[in-house]
Every structure is written in C-alpha cells, then in structure tokens.
Amino acid sequence: MTDTSNPDHTLPSHFIRHMIDHDLASGKHDGRVQTRFPPEPNGFLHIGHAKSICLNFGLAEQYQGACNMRFDDTNPEKESQEFIDAIKADVNWLGFKWHGEVRYTSAYFQQLFDFALQLIRNGKAYVCSLTPEQAREYRGSLTEPGRNSPYRERSFEENLELFLRMQKGEFADGEHSLRAKIDMSSPNINMRDPIIYRIRNVEHHQTGDYWKVYPMYDYAHCISDALEHITHSLCTLEFEDHRPLYDWILNNLTLDSLKNACLELGNLPDDINYVLPEQTEFARLNINYNVMSKRKLKELVELGLVNGWDDPRMPTLSGLRRRGFTPASIRRFCDIIGMSRSESIVDVGMLEHCIREDLDEHSARAMCVLRPLKVTLINFTDEQAQTLSLPRHPKRDIGNRQIQFGPTLYIDETDFEQTPPPGYKRLSPGDEVRLRGAYVIKCEDVIRDQNGKVIELLCSLDPATLGQNPQGRKVKGVIHWVPAEGALRAEVRIYDRLFNNANPDDKALGDFKNSLNPDSLQVLTDCLVEPSLASAAAEESFQFEREGYFCVDRFDSRPDALVFNRTVSLRDSWTKTNG
RNA sequence: UGGGGUGUCGCCAAGUUGGUAAGGCAUCAGAUUUUGAUUCUGACAUGCGUUGGUUCGAGUCCAGCCACCCCAGCCA
C-alpha cells in the first residue's frame, strides 16, 4: 500500500545535488557517489534521522551509487545491541537497502590503532598526561589561544611505549590520552591538539574487552569514511567546524596506507580509483511542537512521561510507525521539506499533510462511532433488516464491505445537538440527516435519563432514500453510524501533539517538559466499529469516515479486543471555525 | 571581545554566468460532493535582514551594519 514512485513528484533541486552534479561533471571522486548513514547506536532513530537516511540513500539511488549502513560505535559506554537492532529495523522499514553488510566503526579498531601508530611515528600525535581538568585549562577559551601541553614534545619512543601500554590496560581511565599535534593557538578550538584516543576500561558491545583505548569521533569518522571509500560524507551543521580536522587527519596519513587498508578490508573494487572523502554539512530537521534531541527523547522515556521509544506520540520512527505513519509518507515528507544550510523549524502540518495524502489514496474506509448514542428507528422492523454493501474506497475499486442495517444502530454523541448552532449539518430534533451509505432519518423524539443526559434518539426512516435523494427537499448532512447488530467494541487511542508549545526547546520557557501537553493521549474504550473490521490486520490503516485515519495497534490489538490508534484527524473546516 | 555559519511570503524552499521573485504547506473565497474529507478553481512577496555603492538593470556583485545559530566533552 505504499507506492513510493509517484511520477508527479520530481526530485527537488538542492545544494547537495548541485554539488554532486558538479562533481560528476568534473570527474571528481572518480565520478562516483558513495554515501553512508552512520548513526551511533545510543538511542532510537527519529524523523530527523529520516532526513539524513533519505538524503544518503536517496542520493545513492539517484546517482546509481551506493550507501553504506555503518554504526559509529566508538563510545561503548552509551551504546547497546538493543539500539543496533532497532536502528536496523527502522531503516529497513523505511524501505532502504544498504550496500553490502552492515558496517561498524569498531570493526576498524585495529586499522585505526595502526594509523595512530603512524601518526605517532611521524611526530603528528603524542601521549598527553594532563588530567581532563588541566587539559581544559590548557585549551584556552573562545577568545584566548590555548597553551602547549608540557607533554607535547615527548619522544617518539616514549609516545609509542605509552600508547601501547594504554592499550594493554596499564592505566586508569583519563590517566593519559593520545592527541593530534596541530596548533594550540588555532582560532578553531577543534584544531587545538584534539584528543584522538582515550582510555576506557569497559566492555564494548561488539569487540568485548579486547580494547582499552577507544578512538574519538573526529579521528574515527574520517578514517572510517576513507576505509569505505565514501565520496560524499554528509552530516549536520554542527560538524562544520570539525571539517578542517576531518581533512587534517586524512591528509596527515599517507594515501597509500589508507588505500591499502581499504583494499585489505575488501572494500575497494579494483576498477575504481581511490579518492579521499569530503564532508558536506546540511541543516538538521526541527519540527514545531516537537523535540528532536536524543537526550530529551531519552529523558521522556526514562521518566515514564511516554510509554517507551515507540510511543505513538514520539517523533521516533518506531513511534511514527506505531502511530500509523507509512514509510512512503515519511519519505515524501523528507522530499518536500527541502535541503539547505539554514536552521529552520518545519511546520508539523507538513508531516500531517504527507500522511493524509498517502492514507487518503490508499486506506480503506470504515465507520467507527467513538462515543455511541443509541438510535431506534420507529418505522423499521427486524423483518425489514437488510445487508448493505458499501465501497471500501470512494475513488479506487478495492472492493466492498457488508453492513447489516436494522432498526437499532449507533451514531456519535457529537452528531446530535438539541439546539443546533447556525450552519449545523447534523442531527437535531425534527431535522433530517443521512446515515452514510443508507437512509435519511428524522429525529422524532429524544429520550433522557434522570440527569437530563440524552441516552437514545427515536427516529423515523424515509424508505425512499436508499441510494437516492429525497423528493422535494434537500438533506444537508451525512453522518456515520454503526449497526447494533454485529458492531464490534474497540478501544481507540486519540493522540494529540505531545507539546503545547510550538517550540519546546525555547530556553525562555525553562525546562522543555514544562511544555508537555497533559491531554496528548485520550483513550476511548467503548467505541463501536463496523463488523468488517473484525479481520483487520496489525498495522493496517483505515479512514474512519468523518473522523480521521486510524491504524490497528501493532502490539496491543487482538481480534477479540481491537485497539486502534488515531494517526491524524481529517482536515476539518467545521470545528476549526466553530470550536 | 576569537572562529565558523545563516538570513527570500505565516512555515519550508527554488532562484544557472546580474535582466525584472518557482513550488509545497498553511490560510481565505468559490464549485462539485451520500465523508463539513477528497477533488477542482481563484486569491495570497513592486518584495528578497538592513543601509549605502557599482550597473541601463541586483535576491543575485561590492562595502558597512543588524539579528540568529554552532564551537571551549578524554560525547557523537
């Protein structure tokens, strides 16, 4: 049901595509496009990652290149196999195929270590024994240059011996570090002798307890890209200042050693020329009424403010999936938001537009009464009951469904008003309305309980209105209904935005949790759905007519106890202007 | 007060070597409609952060301002 190839949707142009077109035209990068998606397995993927995934995999598809899937797992303390599995599942779900096997930066630890030895040998790196606090002092500030570490001029022999001993586990965490010898007075703080290896006496989820030293991102990432002969290394804007370091590392290693390591790993087909990767940055995705930082999402999960990473209110891919978003809708969203270098906040309405667009075309229609109100037809008997056949989609022929129509049925409480406001097109005393796909009925009487609450409507039916309009008068409204006979009870979870404030990240608002919407989840347990939904499959989406798009909860729904999640409501120009 | 970036319609975002402001979302108005949905039609920046300059002509070139974002983790 997810057609991702809509011919009307031409690929929008953006600066990265322009750059690649230019690269290809000039023969740069050997005329190849090799990208990679490199998440750290320390959390779940969110819609912001989808932007990067669509970019990297999309570019590879468009230019007949390839995109690698690589776990940037250089910090074992924060990572786990659970996240690796979840991330792979999310990328698969989005429908992208990575090139070859899944890669791990940790699989390059030996090569990375050897390259560090090369830097040490060439006087480009040294073991520093400053404490973390001292290192911070020596680094200087934004406006003041740093000072050279007293350990900066250690001999090659001493550096080599110390680094080897670091890996042997002879030192405690933080006792020493390996630093690139660049320039402590650089205005770019990333170039002030950055630490490239630190001691971590912990177990790594992939390599066990073999390694005692772990490479830092800046050191490992560029080399990993080189080892996979990536051509275009795409990342977000905050890494812009790291680009000079990315280039410094690669340029201070011999091209031959990089190429040979790439060859030894079996990553380099012999029909291509080896070229170094280049980093390009783009703006990360922000969506209003949402938070997109892994730290904040993690906090919501750990404090129990949401029901896990895949809570349908979360902007995580697993949350969106459970909410009922389709891969096609997310890919489409990533296409239409564009790609630029300016920080921006995309309106969540764009995301909603994308899922409505997809579901309107692909999902079957059904009727569901969220808050049942009994209706008894006073001029219709059990003997007259009949089976109605209604199309599953108003425009596409995807079959019909059957519904029993008898003397008692249910409509939604909100579709009846004792004293209708101007412009009201639903049911009210003495007025007519059409039951969708069935007859026109007229409200003759209202039954209330001792508190005055309306509990039943007595209506008359016009037998001449099945499939045709009544004579001499116009019935303005159509409402949905469900038969008393055969309707299924269901739980429906109505989700609203997780945050009340358009920008929960706004520092002026204090903690982002202050903006949490207390009514983001409303559970309705006495809903009634039409009988045809008995066979609904997990994750299947439906449009509950006049209400919105809903999907069968992939974990909690059972055939005898259906659970639906509201993905998004229908556009509604009535309640929008009438409360 | 250092360095690196960004500023085009309410929100995203195109704008080839300067030639007279795409598109989408949202919004508003109308038509169709057994979903107040969908679909269709129309409206929606003499204006491109700002001030000057160059030019026959500037969003596009130059200069100066202003605003916002990122960087001082042995995180990524």
Side-chain angles (χ1 to χ4, degrees):
Chain A
M1 73 176 268
T2 50
D3 177 15
T4 53
S5 58
N6 186 331
D8 293 332
H9 298 152
T10 51
L11 292 172
S13 87
H14 63 236
F15 77 104
I16 295 178
R17 278 201 253 262
H18 286 318
M19 174 186 72
I20 292 177
D21 287 339
H22 188 266
D23 289 348
L24 259 25
S26 67
K28 191 174 176 182
H29 295 303
D30 195 33
R32 291 180 295 111
V33 174
Q34 174 76 236
T35 57
R36 101 267 94 114
F37 173 59
E40 182 189 15
N42 67 345
F44 278 56
L45 259 28
H46 54 64
I47 183 85
H49 292 103
K51 179 178 179 182
S52 173
I53 292 169
C54 290
L55 208 219
N56 282 294
F57 285 90
L59 252 17
E61 274 175 22
Q62 183 191 348
Y63 293 99
Q64 285 101 41
C67 178
N68 289 354
M69 173 76 213
R70 178 167 83 227
F71 286 100
D72 204 0
D73 55 348
T74 58
N75 186 2
E77 289 176 312
K78 296 184 174 177
E79 304 157 2
S80 75
Q81 186 64 43
E82 177 206 359
F83 294 132
I84 291 175
D85 296 338
I87 290 169
K88 284 195 283 191
D90 285 342
V91 174
N92 277 140
W93 176 70
L94 273 182
F96 290 107
K97 298 297 282 180
W98 50 76
H99 180 245
E101 298 298 304
V102 170
R103 330 275 167 144
Y104 296 84
T105 300
S106 58
Y108 309 139
F109 279 172
Q110 186 59 56
Q111 285 82 356
L112 258 0
F113 190 79
D114 293 341
F115 283 123
L117 261 20
Q118 183 187 141
L119 289 178
I120 291 173
R121 201 180 307 125
N122 294 329
K124 302 283 179 55
Y126 63 96
V127 171
C128 180
S129 306
L130 252 21
T131 65
E133 298 69 42
Q134 291 172 320
R136 188 181 342 113
E137 285 170 34
Y138 273 80
R139 190 157 34 234
S141 71
L142 293 177
T143 52
E144 301 158 319
R147 288 140 49 214
N148 283 168
S149 161
Y151 304 99
R152 200 173 198 259
E153 301 307 328
R154 281 217 254 235
S155 68
F156 150 68
E157 292 80 7
E158 192 181 1
N159 282 324
L160 186 62
E161 186 206 332
L162 282 169
F163 188 52
L164 259 17
R165 289 176 61 200
M166 282 164 67
Q167 162 54 16
K168 278 183 186 150
E170 294 186 20
F171 305 111
D173 290 10
E175 227 177 306
H176 305 284
S177 65
L178 185 68
R179 297 229 248 164
K181 189 187 282 188
I182 307 181
D183 178 8
M184 288 306 290
S185 65
S186 171
N188 181 346
I189 294 177
N190 293 300
M191 299 298 270
R192 317 238 263 230
D193 288 12
I195 288 164
I196 57 176
Y197 262 97
R198 79 284 219 186
I199 299 171
R200 277 296 108 96
N201 288 289
V202 296
E203 186 137 323
H204 188 284
H205 50 96
Q206 300 301 307
T207 59
D209 60 4
Y210 181 82
W211 296 97
K212 309 300 177 192
V213 291
Y214 289 94
M216 297 287 287
Y217 164 85
D218 285 310
Y219 174 73
H221 203 89
C222 53
I223 295 176
S224 299
D225 282 345
L227 294 182
E228 294 176 12
H229 66 76
I230 298 300
T231 54
H232 303 269
S233 182
L234 311 174
C235 62
T236 44
L237 246 27
E238 67 269 27
F239 292 103
E240 212 167 355
D241 290 343
H242 296 236
R243 193 169 62 221
L245 180 52
Y246 184 104
D247 292 335
W248 187 94
I249 300 284
L250 294 181
N251 290 143
N252 281 278
L253 257 14
T254 67
L255 190 64
D256 279 347
S257 64
L258 252 7
K259 180 179 177 178
N260 288 336
C262 190
L263 265 171
E264 283 163 20
L265 285 162
N267 284 346
L268 192 63
D270 39 42
D271 59 330
I272 67 174
N273 293 316
Y274 188 73
V275 287
L276 256 21
E278 282 186 13
Q279 173 181 306
T280 300
E281 312 83 15
F282 59 90
R284 63 188 316 142
L285 172 66
N286 295 296
I287 300 180
N288 59 12
Y289 298 100
N290 275 284
V291 296
M292 215 60 83
S293 99
K294 222 181 257 185
R295 193 210 99 214
K296 289 174 181 169
L297 295 176
K298 200 180 200 98
E299 195 175 333
L300 293 175
V301 172
E302 286 171 355
L303 292 177
L305 296 169
V306 293
N307 302 314
W309 287 96
D310 63 355
D311 185 297
R313 292 166 293 186
M314 293 280 272
T316 50
L317 294 180
S318 50
L320 289 166
R321 175 180 184 177
R322 196 166 175 193
R323 175 79 169 254
F325 279 75
T326 58
S329 69
I330 290 171
R331 292 169 66 145
R332 171 91 177 116
F333 172 72
C334 290
D335 274 346
I336 69 170
I337 57 174
M339 187 64 62
S340 77
R341 289 174 62 86
S342 63
E343 312 92 9
S344 56
I345 301 177
V346 175
D347 193 319
V348 69
M350 290 244 223
L351 222 206
E352 294 174 347
H353 167 260
C354 291
I355 187 59
R356 286 193 183 108
E357 179 182 59
D358 186 16
L359 261 21
D360 175 57
E361 182 181 351
H362 297 106
S363 67
R365 310 290 121 127
M367 293 196 283
C368 168
V369 172
L370 297 175
R371 306 160 200 82
L373 172 59
K374 187 176 182 183
V375 170
T376 299
L377 301 176
I378 55 178
N379 60 342
F380 198 75
T381 64
D382 282 324
E383 289 67 43
Q384 293 171 286
Q386 59 184 293
T387 300
L388 301 175
S389 184
L390 274 46
R392 286 163 56 80
H393 195 281
K395 293 178 181 169
R396 296 189 310 130
D397 184 12
I398 54 171
N400 283 37
R401 65 207 140 113
Q402 263 55 246
I403 297 188
Q404 271 299 111
F405 185 83
T408 101
L409 47 92
Y410 292 90
I411 65 169
D412 197 279
E413 280 179 5
T414 61
D415 283 334
F416 172 77
E417 205 67 67
Q418 179 67 232
T419 50
Y424 194 69
K425 300 207 299 190
R426 307 175 188 182
L427 201 56
S428 56
D431 248 336
E432 285 186 312
V433 76
R434 174 177 291 281
L435 292 176
R436 166 117 256 227
Y439 300 86
V440 168
I441 61 170
K442 180 179 185 181
C443 179
E444 305 287 359
D445 210 349
V446 179
I447 297 176
R448 299 164 185 279
D449 63 13
Q450 52 272 54
N451 300 318
K453 184 181 188 307
V454 177
I455 54 170
E456 184 179 349
L457 264 24
L458 300 184
C459 301
S460 59
L461 165 153
D462 182 343
T465 54
L466 181 63
Q468 53 193 298
N469 287 325
Q471 302 291 308
R473 63 192 197 282
K474 189 131 176 129
V475 174
K476 49 196 183 309
V478 178
I479 62 175
H480 59 285
W481 57 281
V482 127
E485 190 73 28
L488 276 19
R489 173 158 301 211
E491 171 178 322
V492 176
R493 298 169 181 171
I494 306 291
Y495 293 102
D496 196 359
R497 49 180 57 137
L498 227 202
F499 295 94
N500 274 328
N501 198 283
N503 183 9
D505 290 321
D506 188 346
K507 310 263 194 307
L509 267 26
D511 191 291
F512 77 102
K513 297 192 292 304
N514 294 157
S515 300
L516 244 13
N517 173 10
D519 304 314
S520 57
L521 170 59
Q522 185 187 358
V523 180
L524 302 176
T525 54
D526 298 317
C527 309
L528 293 173
V529 297
E530 63 172 70
S532 69
L533 257 26
S535 57
E539 289 197 85
E540 190 172 356
S541 283
F542 296 90
Q543 183 198 95
F544 286 166
E545 292 189 282
R546 300 208 315 128
E547 290 290 356
Y549 298 98
F550 298 72
C551 71
V552 178
D553 188 273
R554 58 191 293 234
F555 299 126
D556 298 341
S557 190
R558 285 184 292 115
D560 58 338
L562 295 167
V563 177
F564 291 93
N565 297 327
R566 186 176 75 181
T567 307
V568 67
S569 67
L570 249 30
R571 289 185 73 214
D572 182 2
S573 55
W574 169 248
T575 57
K576 185 181 292 177
T577 50
N578 296 274

